[in-house]
Amino acid sequence: MDEAQELTNAEWQMLLLRCPSRSFTIAGDRAQARHGFAESWLERLERVGLSNVNLATLSINYRTPEEVMAEAEPVIRAVLPDANVPTSIRSSGMPVVHGSTSEVSSILDTWLAAHAEGVACVIGRIETVHGSFREGTRVRSLTPEQSKGLEFDLAVLVDPEAFGTGIEGAVHRYVAMTRATQQLAILATPDVDQRP
């Protein structure tokens, strides 16, 4: 069972009723639990009625380059200090781009011109990204919730601080950041009070 970090107590009971042997292979990531996951996996599984649990931890990240993980890890550790954040085994050689939301189109155009293949995704709240660029066969637009479980060569986060507060907001930011398999861009609306 995948994405087990999202299962409610009722969903766990439903699964246990349908599997009397109580033999499961469970995959889940506390750092991607949208509504928080304060327990350890052992505590959660024992609480829902599973015993004789063997845990294995993913320690290697094959998808996300180290440049992206260096930015994503502090985001999740700020709210979940003991989160399992796997170590990336590769570098893309492309630094994370920081800029203004007004740069969405130029970042996408530059990336598309430099890459004959691959898919980019703009991740943000619908009201934030709507109309700020043109979608196409190689450029998608998703909310942070919709991006979960997917991967893109380029992920462009638009106003990630608007993804929410607390654990839920941090999880949405972490998940969105780690969708990038090559490059990540983080774009924010400039604070009016900080303009010269």
Side-chain angles (χ1 to χ4, degrees):
M1 145 181 27
D2 196 11
E3 301 290 348
Q5 74 277 1
E6 302 295 352
L7 295 177
T8 65
N9 290 339
E11 290 168 329
W12 276 111
Q13 292 310 309
M14 179 188 71
L15 289 167
L16 291 170
L17 288 171
R18 285 166 176 72
C19 185
S21 70
R22 295 186 176 217
S23 178
F24 293 96
T25 299
I26 298 167
D29 184 355
R30 291 174 59 225
Q32 295 189 40
R34 289 177 296 176
H35 304 295
F37 195 134
E39 302 169 288
S40 70
W41 271 109
L42 187 57
E43 291 167 334
R44 169 70 56 94
L45 296 175
E46 287 177 349
R47 183 173 55 76
V48 299
L50 293 174
S51 57
N52 195 22
V53 174
N54 294 312
L55 294 176
T57 301
L58 174 69
S59 60
I60 298 173
N61 185 338
Y62 296 97
R63 177 184 60 217
T64 313
E66 60 187 19
E67 294 87 351
V68 173
M69 288 308 293
E71 298 253 352
E73 182 174 0
V75 168
I76 198 63
R77 289 220 189 271
V79 296
L80 193 61
D82 64 340
N84 175 47
V85 179
T87 303
S88 294
I89 61 162
R90 66 183 181 84
S91 168
S92 67
M94 293 181 265
V96 174
V97 173
H98 291 269
S100 168
T101 53
S102 63
E103 299 175 73
V104 172
S105 289
S106 65
I107 287 172
L108 291 170
D109 290 345
T110 300
W111 185 83
L112 288 166
H115 299 85
E117 296 181 346
V119 177
C121 185
V122 177
I123 303 172
R125 297 284 171 218
I126 297 298
E127 62 276 7
T128 306
V129 300
H130 183 71
S132 61
F133 65 97
R134 197 173 73 207
E135 283 192 74
T137 57
R138 296 184 51 217
V139 178
R140 301 282 184 243
S141 173
L142 298 171
T143 65
E145 297 87 350
Q146 293 169 328
S147 73
K148 189 171 186 176
L150 303 176
E151 57 186 55
F152 305 95
D153 300 284
L154 169 66
V156 180
L157 276 60
V158 176
D159 279 332
E161 292 305 315
F163 291 5
T165 59
I167 290 176
E168 191 167 333
V171 167
H172 287 317
R173 284 185 286 283
Y174 176 78
V175 168
M177 293 170 89
T178 58
R179 302 308 87 198
T181 62
Q182 295 297 319
Q183 189 170 21
L184 172 66
I186 301 173
L187 307 179
T189 301
D191 188 343
V192 175
D193 295 333
Q194 293 180 0
R195 290 181 184 169

